[in-house]
Coordinates of all heavy atoms in Angstrom, one line a residue:
P19 N 123.1 77.9 61.7 CA 122.6 77.8 63.0 C 121.4 76.9 63.1 O 120.6 76.8 62.2 CB 122.3 79.2 63.5 CG 123.1 80.1 62.6 CD 123.2 79.3 61.3
V20 N 121.3 76.1 64.2 CA 120.1 75.2 64.4 C 118.8 76.0 64.5 O 118.7 77.0 65.2 CB 120.3 74.4 65.6 CG1 119.0 73.6 66.0 CG2 121.5 73.5 65.5
T21 N 117.8 75.7 63.6 CA 116.5 76.3 63.6 C 115.4 75.5 64.0 O 114.4 75.9 64.3 CB 116.2 76.9 62.3 OG1 116.2 75.9 61.3 CG2 117.2 78.0 61.9
D22 N 115.7 74.1 64.1 CA 114.7 73.2 64.6 C 114.4 73.4 66.0 O 115.3 73.4 66.9 CB 115.2 71.8 64.3 CG 114.2 70.7 64.7 OD1 114.2 70.3 65.9 OD2 113.4 70.3 63.9
S23 N 113.1 73.6 66.4 CA 112.7 74.0 67.7 C 113.0 72.9 68.7 O 113.3 73.2 69.9 CB 111.2 74.3 67.8 OG 110.4 73.3 67.3
S24 N 112.9 71.6 68.3 CA 113.3 70.5 69.2 C 114.7 70.5 69.6 O 115.1 70.3 70.7 CB 112.9 69.2 68.6 OG 111.5 69.1 68.4
Y25 N 115.6 70.7 68.6 CA 117.0 70.8 68.9 C 117.3 72.1 69.7 O 118.1 72.0 70.6 CB 117.8 70.9 67.5 CG 118.2 69.6 67.0 CD1 117.4 69.0 66.0 CD2 119.4 68.9 67.4 CE1 117.8 67.7 65.5 CE2 119.8 67.7 66.9 CZ 119.0 67.1 65.9 OH 119.4 65.9 65.4
Q26 N 116.7 73.2 69.3 CA 117.0 74.4 70.1 C 116.6 74.2 71.6 O 117.4 74.7 72.5 CB 116.2 75.6 69.5 CG 116.8 76.2 68.3 CD 116.1 77.5 68.0 OE1 115.1 77.9 68.5 NE2 116.8 78.2 67.0
A27 N 115.5 73.6 71.9 CA 115.0 73.4 73.3 C 116.0 72.5 74.0 O 116.4 72.8 75.1 CB 113.6 72.8 73.3
A28 N 116.4 71.4 73.3 CA 117.3 70.5 74.0 C 118.7 71.2 74.3 O 119.2 71.1 75.4 CB 117.5 69.2 73.1
L29 N 119.2 71.8 73.2 CA 120.5 72.5 73.4 C 120.4 73.6 74.5 O 121.4 73.8 75.2 CB 121.0 73.1 72.1 CG 121.3 72.1 71.0 CD1 121.8 72.8 69.7 CD2 122.4 71.1 71.4
Y30 N 119.3 74.3 74.5 CA 119.1 75.4 75.5 C 119.2 74.8 76.9 O 120.0 75.3 77.7 CB 117.8 76.1 75.2 CG 117.5 77.1 76.3 CD1 118.1 78.3 76.2 CD2 116.6 76.9 77.3 CE1 117.8 79.3 77.2 CE2 116.3 77.8 78.3 CZ 116.9 79.1 78.2 OH 116.7 80.0 79.2
L31 N 118.6 73.7 77.2 CA 118.6 73.1 78.5 C 120.0 72.5 78.8 O 120.5 72.6 79.9 CB 117.5 72.1 78.7 CG 116.1 72.7 78.8 CD1 115.1 71.5 78.9 CD2 116.0 73.6 80.0
L32 N 120.5 71.8 77.8 CA 121.9 71.1 78.1 C 123.0 72.2 78.2 O 124.1 71.8 78.7 CB 122.2 70.2 76.9 CG 121.2 69.0 76.8 CD1 121.5 68.2 75.5 CD2 121.3 68.1 78.0
S33 N 122.7 73.4 77.8 CA 123.8 74.4 77.9 C 123.7 75.3 79.1 O 124.5 76.2 79.3 CB 123.7 75.3 76.6 OG 122.6 76.1 76.6
T34 N 122.7 75.0 80.0 CA 122.5 75.8 81.2 C 123.6 75.7 82.3 O 123.7 76.5 83.1 CB 121.1 75.5 81.8 OG1 121.1 74.1 82.2 CG2 120.0 75.8 80.9
D35 N 124.3 74.6 82.2 CA 125.3 74.3 83.2 C 126.6 73.8 82.6 O 126.5 73.0 81.7 CB 124.8 73.2 84.2 CG 125.8 72.8 85.2 OD1 126.0 73.5 86.2 OD2 126.4 71.7 85.0
E36 N 127.8 74.3 83.0 CA 129.0 74.0 82.3 C 129.3 72.5 82.4 O 129.7 71.8 81.4 CB 130.2 74.8 82.9 CG 131.4 74.7 82.1 CD 132.5 75.7 82.5 OE1 132.2 76.7 83.2 OE2 133.7 75.4 82.1
E37 N 129.1 71.9 83.6 CA 129.4 70.5 83.8 C 128.5 69.6 82.9 O 129.0 68.7 82.3 CB 129.3 70.1 85.3 CG 129.8 68.7 85.6 CD 129.7 68.4 87.1 OE1 129.2 69.3 87.9 OE2 130.2 67.3 87.4
L38 N 127.2 70.0 82.9 CA 126.3 69.3 82.0 C 126.7 69.4 80.6 O 126.6 68.4 79.8 CB 124.9 69.8 82.3 CG 123.8 69.2 81.4 CD1 123.7 67.7 81.5 CD2 122.4 69.8 81.8
T39 N 127.0 70.6 80.2 CA 127.5 70.9 78.8 C 128.7 70.0 78.4 O 128.7 69.4 77.4 CB 127.8 72.3 78.6 OG1 126.7 73.1 78.8 CG2 128.3 72.6 77.2
D40 N 129.6 69.9 79.3 CA 130.8 69.0 79.0 C 130.5 67.6 78.8 O 131.0 66.9 78.0 CB 131.8 69.2 80.2 CG 132.5 70.6 80.2 OD1 132.4 71.3 79.1 OD2 133.0 71.0 81.2
V41 N 129.6 67.1 79.7 CA 129.1 65.7 79.5 C 128.3 65.5 78.2 O 128.6 64.6 77.4 CB 128.3 65.2 80.8 CG1 127.7 63.8 80.5 CG2 129.2 65.2 82.0
A42 N 127.4 66.3 78.0 CA 126.5 66.3 76.8 C 127.3 66.3 75.5 O 127.0 65.6 74.6 CB 125.5 67.4 76.9
A43 N 128.4 67.1 75.5 CA 129.2 67.3 74.3 C 129.8 66.0 73.9 O 130.0 65.8 72.6 CB 130.3 68.3 74.6
K44 N 130.0 65.1 74.7 CA 130.6 63.8 74.4 C 129.6 62.9 73.5 O 130.0 62.0 72.9 CB 131.0 63.0 75.6 CG 132.1 63.7 76.4 CD 132.4 63.0 77.7 CE 133.4 63.7 78.5 NZ 133.5 63.2 79.9
Y45 N 128.3 63.3 73.6 CA 127.3 62.4 73.0 C 126.4 63.2 72.0 O 125.3 62.9 71.7 CB 126.4 61.9 74.1 CG 127.2 61.1 75.1 CD1 127.5 61.7 76.4 CD2 127.8 59.9 74.8 CE1 128.2 61.1 77.3 CE2 128.6 59.2 75.8 CZ 128.8 59.8 77.0 OH 129.6 59.2 77.9
I46 N 127.0 64.3 71.4 CA 126.4 65.0 70.4 C 127.3 65.0 69.2 O 128.5 65.3 69.3 CB 126.0 66.5 70.8 CG1 125.1 66.5 72.0 CG2 125.5 67.3 69.6 CD1 124.8 67.9 72.6
D47 N 126.7 64.6 68.0 CA 127.5 64.7 66.8 C 126.5 64.9 65.6 O 125.3 65.2 65.8 CB 128.3 63.3 66.6 CG 127.4 62.1 66.6 OD1 126.2 62.2 66.2 OD2 127.9 61.0 66.9
S48 N 127.0 64.7 64.4 CA 126.2 65.0 63.2 C 124.9 64.1 63.1 O 124.0 64.5 62.4 CB 127.0 64.9 62.0 OG 127.6 63.6 61.9
D49 N 124.9 63.0 63.9 CA 123.8 62.1 63.9 C 122.7 62.7 64.8 O 121.5 62.2 64.8 CB 124.1 60.7 64.3 CG 124.9 60.1 63.2 OD1 124.8 60.4 62.0 OD2 125.8 59.2 63.5
G50 N 123.0 63.5 65.8 CA 122.1 64.1 66.7 C 122.5 64.0 68.1 O 123.7 64.2 68.4
I51 N 121.6 63.9 69.1 CA 121.9 63.9 70.5 C 121.5 62.5 71.1 O 120.4 62.1 70.9 CB 121.1 65.0 71.2 CG1 121.3 66.3 70.6 CG2 121.4 65.0 72.7 CD1 120.4 67.4 71.1
D52 N 122.5 61.9 71.7 CA 122.3 60.5 72.3 C 121.9 60.7 73.8 O 122.8 60.7 74.7 CB 123.5 59.7 72.1 CG 123.3 58.2 72.5 OD1 122.2 58.0 73.2 OD2 124.1 57.4 72.2
F53 N 120.6 60.9 74.0 CA 120.2 61.1 75.4 C 120.4 59.9 76.3 O 120.6 60.1 77.5 CB 118.7 61.6 75.4 CG 118.6 63.1 75.2 CD1 118.3 63.6 74.0 CD2 118.8 64.0 76.3 CE1 118.2 65.0 73.7 CE2 118.7 65.3 76.0 CZ 118.4 65.8 74.8

Side-chain angles (χ1 to χ4, degrees):
V20 172
T21 57
D22 179 272
S23 60
S24 297
Y25 270 96
Q26 281 192 350
L29 295 179
Y30 177 76
L31 288 177
L32 294 174
S33 66
T34 57
D35 176 81
E36 189 169 343
E37 189 177 4
L38 175 57
T39 299
D40 290 342
V41 171
K44 297 173 187 173
Y45 306 104
I46 297 176
D47 58 27
S48 58
D49 291 331
I51 304 171
D52 188 344
F53 276 98

